[in-house]
Amino acid sequence: MAARIGLVVHVLSDAAVRELAALGVRQVRWTLYWSRWDDADATRRAAYRASASAEVARARAAGLDLLVRAHGTPAQLVPAGKDEYAAREQILGAYVNELGANTSTVSV
């Protein structure tokens, strides 16, 4: 049985996907930034969602086994004057709802 190689990556550009394929990498853990996916600014949010969705599509088209890790709390979910830990129940609830609602959008 051939060894399976997996890597953690933050970019799935055309060049990155070609390099991963050339190295024989089949399994990739990629980071989706929730703070950018749910950015309060609609223009930035739309741009990131389009870019992230394109990266996922590119990886899938190349036959990569993709595990998506989402992290980064959107600033609007942290109450003013509090840290993330103090608002963890609200944030985690929003995290679950956001990922569940957008899984098909990103096609993960």
Side-chain angles (χ1 to χ4, degrees), residues 51-91:
S51 173
S53 296
E55 289 192 64
V56 169
R58 192 176 297 118
R60 286 188 153 179
L64 295 176
D65 179 12
L66 188 62
L67 172 65
V68 177
R69 178 178 187 267
H71 77 92
T73 304
Q76 70 268 19
L77 291 179
V78 180
K82 293 189 176 182
D83 62 16
E84 286 187 40
Y85 187 77
R88 69 189 174 281
E89 289 181 25
Q90 172 192 349
I91 291 168

Side-chain angles (χ1 to χ4, degrees), residues 1 10 16 19 22-23 31 34 36 41 51 54 65 77 85 89 91 98 100 104 106:
M1 175 160 129
H10 292 277
E19 290 170 8
L23 290 169
T31 303
W34 180 35
R36 295 181 66 198
D41 180 275
S51 173
D65 179 12
L77 291 179
Y85 187 77
E89 289 181 25
I91 291 168
E98 183 69 24
S104 62
V106 182

Side-chain angles (χ1 to χ4, degrees), residues 8-17 20 28-31 55 58:
V8 176
V9 300
H10 292 277
V11 176
L12 289 167
S13 63
D14 288 328
V17 169
L20 291 166
V28 174
R29 187 179 93 178
W30 174 77
T31 303
E55 289 192 64
R58 192 176 297 118

